[in-house]
Amino acid sequence: MLGYMFKRLGLALLVALTVSIIAYLLLHLSGDPAIALAGEGARQEDIETIRKAYGLDRPVVIQYADWLWKLLQGDFGTSVYFKTEVGPLIFDKLKTTLLLGISALAVALFVSVPLGVLAALYKNSWIDRLCLAVAVLGQALPNFFFALLLIMLFSISWRMLPVSGSGTWQHFVMPAIALGYYIAPAFMRLIRAGMIEVLSADYIRTAKAKGLPARSVIFKHALRNAIVPVVALSAVQLGYLLGGSVVIETIFALDGLGYLAYQSITYKDYPVMQIIVLLLSAIYVLLTLASDIANAWLDPRIRVS
């Protein structure tokens, strides 16, 4: 198990390094940062001054090596727009995004687990079709459109929830539902397929033959084994939620990392954008690593492959 963990950790570090290189190059290839920082109508002399001040006149490889070396020393740079250190700025916003991501994941599991179990128990029935229809609707609706529908219903018509801000738990209800419902279909289909396979297994038939209650057979024996693949998917989807919260946080004006990413793109704040991309990528890689290790611990057969 320890050897498997070190192997996966080495691969995760390699992926994180590759992502940092690609992200750094893409940000610089998208346009001249010096021109973006100088603004429209800037003189060539001003552009050259900014280019030298930020070290943008050096080769890109040297710029990346210098940026990575400072990053390893804990120097995340200074925000061009906010005029403050990037590290404290980003980690202060990260708490809001993490809370939103975990809440959305909880909503997705709360919706998908009952639907998946029902669809498997009543396979090919109208209940199964209804559960699948709910799942398809979740993926068919873009999350930003669903978010606007929630605002119209719960904020404008019924005035039950605040439309923007992040001061209380009520501010996270609609964003969590909008994000969670979008990823729920993937969990629902996985649980349905797993339950159908497990319910036809020999040990389930044995449990039924022993006279165990149906609730015990379904939840203690069947669901317990069918839900194992959900562990890996949960980690991947949480990483997706953290990285894909830009639109939702912008709509609801949540003071999180996604909204900060939107602001940094708008104001061409390259130091902030670079760290946000790297941080979200690192979190995604770590979550995937954690899911691999958890699956290997739950199923020893994975360690051999």
Side-chain angles (χ1 to χ4, degrees):
M1 181 65 184
L2 191 61
Y4 178 83
M5 291 176 59
F6 280 116
K7 179 182 177 181
R8 301 301 299 177
L9 180 60
L11 183 60
L13 291 175
L14 182 60
V15 171
L17 179 62
T18 304
V19 168
S20 71
I21 295 173
I22 295 174
Y24 192 90
L25 292 177
L26 286 178
L27 284 175
H28 281 69
L29 291 175
S30 62
D32 191 341
I35 297 177
L37 294 174
E40 295 183 5
R43 298 178 303 174
Q44 186 63 34
E45 295 81 3
D46 296 332
I47 296 175
E48 292 299 328
T49 301
I50 291 176
R51 185 174 284 113
K52 291 180 180 179
Y54 286 93
L56 299 173
D57 55 336
R58 299 173 298 172
V60 177
V61 176
I62 302 299
Q63 293 181 47
Y64 171 77
D66 182 58
W67 173 77
L68 184 61
W69 175 247
K70 291 180 179 179
L71 186 67
L72 294 175
Q73 293 178 319
D75 183 4
F76 295 94
T78 303
S79 170
V80 176
Y81 176 76
F82 295 98
K83 307 299 182 184
T84 184
E85 293 185 6
V86 175
L89 176 66
I90 284 183
F91 287 108
D92 181 60
K93 311 291 184 182
L94 181 60
K95 295 180 290 186
T96 300
T97 301
L98 283 174
L99 180 58
L100 174 61
I102 294 173
S103 301
L105 182 62
V107 169
L109 293 174
F110 180 78
V111 172
S112 60
V113 171
L115 289 180
V117 172
L118 279 175
L121 292 177
Y122 300 96
K123 183 177 66 171
N124 297 329
S125 68
W126 68 269
I127 297 178
D128 185 15
R129 297 290 181 267
L130 179 62
C131 293
L132 289 174
V134 173
V136 170
L137 181 63
Q139 284 193 327
L141 280 176
N143 54 13
F144 69 88
F145 180 72
F146 186 47
L148 295 177
L149 292 179
L150 292 176
I151 291 174
M152 292 177 60
L153 185 62
F154 291 103
S155 295
I156 298 176
S157 299
W158 294 346
R159 300 184 181 276
M160 294 174 57
L161 295 169
V163 69
S164 62
S166 55
T168 63
W169 65 268
Q170 290 95 335
H171 290 92
F172 290 88
V173 174
M174 290 192 293
I177 293 175
L179 273 178
Y181 184 49
Y182 185 73
I183 66 168
F187 288 109
M188 183 263 176
R189 289 195 298 268
L190 186 63
I191 293 172
R192 177 185 179 274
M195 284 291 294
I196 290 175
E197 181 181 356
V198 170
L199 286 173
S200 62
D202 291 337
Y203 71 91
I204 295 296
R205 286 194 289 267
T206 303
K208 291 179 180 179
K210 288 181 178 179
L212 292 178
R215 180 179 299 179
S216 177
V217 173
I218 293 171
F219 293 101
K220 186 177 180 180
H221 297 279
L223 184 59
R224 183 177 180 181
N225 290 279
I227 210 167
V228 171
V230 177
V231 175
L233 184 61
S234 297
V236 173
Q237 292 288 32
L238 180 57
Y240 165 78
L241 291 172
L242 296 179
S245 63
V246 177
V247 175
I248 295 299
E249 287 188 14
T250 303
I251 291 175
F252 291 98
L254 288 175
D255 192 20
L257 205 59
Y259 188 51
L260 179 63
Y262 166 75
Q263 290 176 305
S264 64
I265 293 171
T266 302
Y267 301 115
K268 297 180 176 61
D269 199 341
Y270 286 93
V272 176
M273 281 191 284
Q274 289 169 354
I275 299 300
I276 289 177
V277 172
L278 179 62
L279 179 62
L280 291 177
S281 302
I283 291 175
Y284 191 89
V285 170
L286 288 175
L287 288 173
T288 306
L289 173 64
S291 71
D292 289 342
I293 294 175
N295 280 337
W297 180 71
L298 293 170
D299 189 354
R301 294 172 298 178
I302 298 178
R303 308 174 203 169
V304 181
S305 58

